[in-house]
Amino acid sequence: MDQSDVIVVGAGLAGLVAAAELADRGKAVTIIDQEPESFLGGQAFWSLGGLMLVDTPEQRRMGIKDSRDLALADWMGSAQFDRPEDHWPRKWAEAYVDFAAGDMRPWLHAMGMRWFPIVGWAERGGGFGSGHGNSVPRFHLTWGVGPATQEPFERRVREHSQTGRIRLMFRHRCSQIIMENGAAKGVAGEILAPDDSLRGQETNREIIGDFELRAAAVLVSSGGIGGDFDLVRQSWPTDRLGPAPKEMIAGVPAHVDGRMVGISQQAGGHLINSDRMWHYTEGVKNWDPIWPNHGIRILPGPSSMWFDARGNRFPPPALPGFDSLATLKMILDTGFDYSWFITTQKIVKKEFALSGSEQNPDFAQKSWKEVLRQRILNKKATPAVEAFKAHGENFVVAETLPDLVAKMNAMTGDDLLPLDKITAEITARDAQTDNPFTKDAQIMAIHAARNYRGDKFQRTAKLHKFLDPANGPLIAVKLNIITRKTLGGLQTDLDGQMLNAAGTPIPGLFAAGEVAGFGGGGYHGYNALEGTFLGGCIFSGRRAGRSDKIA
């Protein structure tokens, strides 16, 4: 006998959205998750809360002209779909852009969600209008960051839980999807011992029992693989990017382990585009870690100079905030798995932001007073950035360039960085700041950024000479590769129903969120435009939860 209409495996954002939508329709839902209740929301809680929205009031107030057609052109230029299995990912991409340009903002706004008025400009592109990147700013920072993106859905889920419509079962780890006559009929697995670890910390895997649950449908919303470096390396696209980095840091907690991908494959699900991943190049080791190998991404403005391990300046499009995947390849092509920012205190003050809700307490607490104090009227960088500058093992600070380079070489224990080469590059760059025109592509990009008043006001420092002591001190940051997102995933149709290797829907089996490549098995293609991870969890969870094919 079925105990529920639908079992949702994974209590992250996609699972919460799907469960809320299903319960609103009168469906009985059981949510299971291997982590404690305090982990509800998964990775969404730790996020900066950015959403890709299109043609919004926030954009129009900032003088941004956006449209569904421009956003779709940007998406397709970034995705570069080139495989037969990209049929469903392409349809999901088109559907998401329609959603982002249509119902998404009013629907979320009606649930109480709000956004910071300055729209961010992420992934500015690889150089051509037809290629990768956002033509205009589209990164809408949720007021309250990650926790505020999950709050409306968590509230709805808890309301349904109080009426008995939704049952929440934590420390229940799924190890099998029960299939009968080719249809999903439930799940089975292990009950894990209670654990009072703080949110995000690694929890125990002690088994104290087992369970079996029955339902008319199973929806998998268990996330990606970024917390398991072995799985990341197994899926690494060596043919496109070269060998995987020897050293990486983790941008996600250990529970982002990819277990349900293989379990779903055993049930007939079809994994596609597993070689498409999204890892950042501006990672720093967290001086106050929460999870194992905890890394934080620097969200840079466009002004820091970017050098490889031997002191060669990267050419475009390897500019801060422009083309993550191309920059990753350039770094790995050097034979090293790290690179360097060289920058100034003036740039760090205005341009350095850190990923993660815990690194942005002013936004998290929805405090306009603190936002103004820390980001607008500030004489230093935000307290979180200054803490990394003071305590982070990847930061070095010096008054002169010779001292800075000496400290950089000391950090890595070698003399790979030649002072004369770096001095010549920075001197040549500084000479380009005397006129409103330039041959330096990065300075062109800075001029373009400051034409957008949002960047000029908050995210892009006024051009200045690095070697002028008045702009110091000088700061260098050793940048690590930081794991983050799985772009490929379990193939689904537009209802979120899993497809088998023949492309046939599997009765009763669905997927949403990162485990489904955020829709279809990889709706980003090769590149992400940012704001599409949380956005994809919300969108794919909503579509599955509203499907008339489920339960």
Side-chain angles (χ1 to χ4, degrees):
M1 179 179 176
D2 291 347
Q3 294 143 319
S4 305
D5 294 312
V6 183
I7 297 167
V8 175
V9 183
L13 181 59
L16 292 177
V17 175
E21 293 292 315
L22 286 162
D24 283 355
R25 295 167 51 200
K27 304 295 184 182
V29 181
T30 298
I31 302 175
I32 67 169
D33 197 284
Q34 66 183 356
E35 298 305 324
E37 184 172 2
S38 60
F39 285 48
L40 189 69
Q43 289 174 254
F45 177 88
W46 297 108
S47 74
L48 193 59
L51 295 172
M52 179 186 167
L53 301 169
V54 176
D55 191 20
T56 64
E58 290 79 15
Q59 286 177 301
R60 292 190 287 273
R61 282 194 289 267
M62 295 303 298
I64 300 164
K65 296 179 180 179
D66 200 6
S67 68
R68 180 262 184 197
D69 290 346
L70 181 61
L72 184 61
D74 284 350
W75 193 298
M76 294 302 171
S78 297
Q80 300 166 25
F81 293 123
D82 60 359
R83 298 171 177 173
E85 56 266 38
D86 285 331
H87 169 78
W88 286 109
R90 183 188 294 271
K91 286 187 174 295
W92 272 91
E94 293 169 348
Y96 178 82
V97 173
D98 288 341
F99 180 55
D103 293 342
M104 186 175 183
R105 185 190 180 282
W107 179 59
L108 296 175
H109 190 276
M111 284 187 278
M113 205 177 289
R114 300 293 185 269
W115 298 273
F116 190 61
I118 298 177
V119 182
W121 196 355
E123 285 295 300
R124 302 178 188 219
F128 293 104
S130 59
H132 169 56
N134 285 294
S135 298
V136 299
R138 295 191 177 102
F139 190 82
H140 292 67
L141 181 66
T142 303
W143 189 233
V145 292
T149 64
Q150 82 177 52
E151 189 280 330
F153 304 103
E154 179 180 345
R155 181 179 67 246
R156 290 167 61 191
V157 165
R158 291 197 182 279
E159 288 172 354
H160 284 300
S161 176
Q162 290 174 359
T163 67
R165 183 73 67 188
I166 291 178
R167 179 170 52 159
L168 294 162
M169 302 179 70
F170 299 99
R171 301 299 283 163
H172 282 64
R173 182 178 68 184
C174 177
S175 291
Q176 178 190 0
I177 298 171
I178 299 169
M179 301 295 293
E180 295 177 355
N181 299 317
K185 293 297 182 181
V187 299
E190 302 78 38
I191 302 171
L192 303 179
D195 196 305
D196 59 0
S197 297
L198 297 177
R199 182 193 284 267
Q201 292 180 338
E202 193 169 18
T203 58
N204 77 71
R205 289 296 179 260
E206 178 187 352
I207 297 172
I208 60 172
D210 54 30
F211 72 94
E212 182 177 306
L213 299 170
R214 294 273 173 166
V218 174
L219 186 146
V220 178
S221 53
S222 55
I225 67 173
D228 187 325
F229 289 178
D230 290 337
L231 284 179
V232 169
R233 291 190 172 99
Q234 287 174 27
S235 301
W236 193 267
T238 304
D239 58 331
R240 287 189 286 113
L241 297 180
K246 293 184 177 67
E247 182 178 351
M248 296 183 284
I249 55 178
V252 295
H255 63 74
V256 186
D257 57 15
R259 288 186 79 253
M260 287 304 301
V261 175
I263 292 166
S264 298
Q265 287 178 284
Q266 292 172 8
H270 184 42
L271 176 66
I272 61 172
N273 299 317
S274 61
D275 63 318
R276 295 177 182 170
M277 295 179 281
W278 195 248
H279 306 305
Y280 292 113
T281 53
E282 311 98 337
V284 292
K285 296 178 180 179
N286 194 343
W287 65 274
D288 187 19
I290 297 171
W291 53 79
N293 301 306
H294 189 174
I296 295 292
R297 184 196 175 200
I298 294 173
L299 305 170
S303 301
S304 297
M305 297 183 72
W306 209 331
F307 293 87
D308 70 16
R310 294 190 180 276
N312 300 296
R313 187 180 178 192
F314 285 112
L319 304 176
F322 275 70
D323 191 330
S324 292
L325 191 63
T327 304
L328 175 60
K329 178 170 173 46
M330 286 188 191
I331 292 170
L332 296 178
D333 282 348
T334 68
F336 294 87
D337 50 19
Y338 69 90
S339 60
W340 293 96
F341 274 167
I342 295 180
T343 189
T344 69
Q345 177 63 26
K346 281 189 176 179
I347 292 170
V348 168
K349 169 184 174 292
K350 191 159 188 174
E351 298 191 9
F352 271 31
L354 299 173
S355 63
S357 55
E358 82 283 8
Q359 301 296 332
N360 297 275
D362 51 341
F363 285 128
Q365 296 165 11
K366 303 182 182 180
S367 172
W368 278 110
K369 178 181 177 181
E370 286 302 304
V371 169
L372 291 170
R373 185 180 71 82
Q374 295 183 24
R375 299 176 191 268
I376 308 301
L377 305 176
N378 52 321
K379 295 184 178 179
K380 294 183 177 181
T382 64
V385 171
E386 290 292 340
F388 268 86
K389 206 178 81 179
H391 305 296
E393 64 179 86
N394 296 133
F395 284 70
V396 293
V397 182
E399 295 296 331
T400 68
L401 188 59
D403 285 347
L404 187 77
V405 174
K407 289 182 177 181
M408 294 163 72
N409 279 325
M411 181 187 292
T412 55
D414 51 41
D415 291 314
L416 290 177
L417 297 166
L419 176 61
D420 56 348
K421 180 189 292 186
I422 292 174
T423 301
E425 193 64 57
I426 295 177
T427 300
R429 178 261 180 212
D430 281 0
Q432 297 291 307
T433 64
D434 292 331
N435 291 288
F437 33 82
T438 178
K439 68 177 182 179
D440 187 292
Q442 184 170 12
I443 293 180
M444 292 179 195
I446 294 167
H447 285 310
R450 287 180 61 85
N451 281 332
Y452 168 48
R453 63 174 178 261
D455 272 0
K456 185 175 183 179
F457 181 62
Q458 192 194 16
R459 286 288 285 155
T460 304
K462 186 177 180 180
L463 268 173
H464 58 269
K465 296 181 187 296
F466 276 42
L467 299 182
D468 183 343
N471 299 319
L474 291 166
I475 299 162
V477 188
K478 183 187 176 190
L479 303 171
N480 306 273
I481 309 301
I482 180 170
T483 63
R484 189 57 62 89
K485 294 297 180 186
T486 308
L487 298 190
L490 297 164
Q491 192 172 32
T492 61
D493 62 18
L494 282 174
D495 289 291
Q497 189 163 11
M498 282 196 219
L499 308 176
N500 63 23
T504 304
I506 303 172
L509 192 55
F510 296 78
E514 189 174 355
V515 74
F518 302 93
Y523 85 150
H524 292 97
Y526 290 96
N527 293 281
L529 289 173
E530 300 293 0
T532 54
F533 303 138
L534 291 177
C537 287
I538 291 170
F539 181 54
S540 60
R542 174 175 132 137
R543 285 201 72 107
R546 294 187 175 191
S547 169
D548 58 7
K549 293 182 180 180
I550 193 168

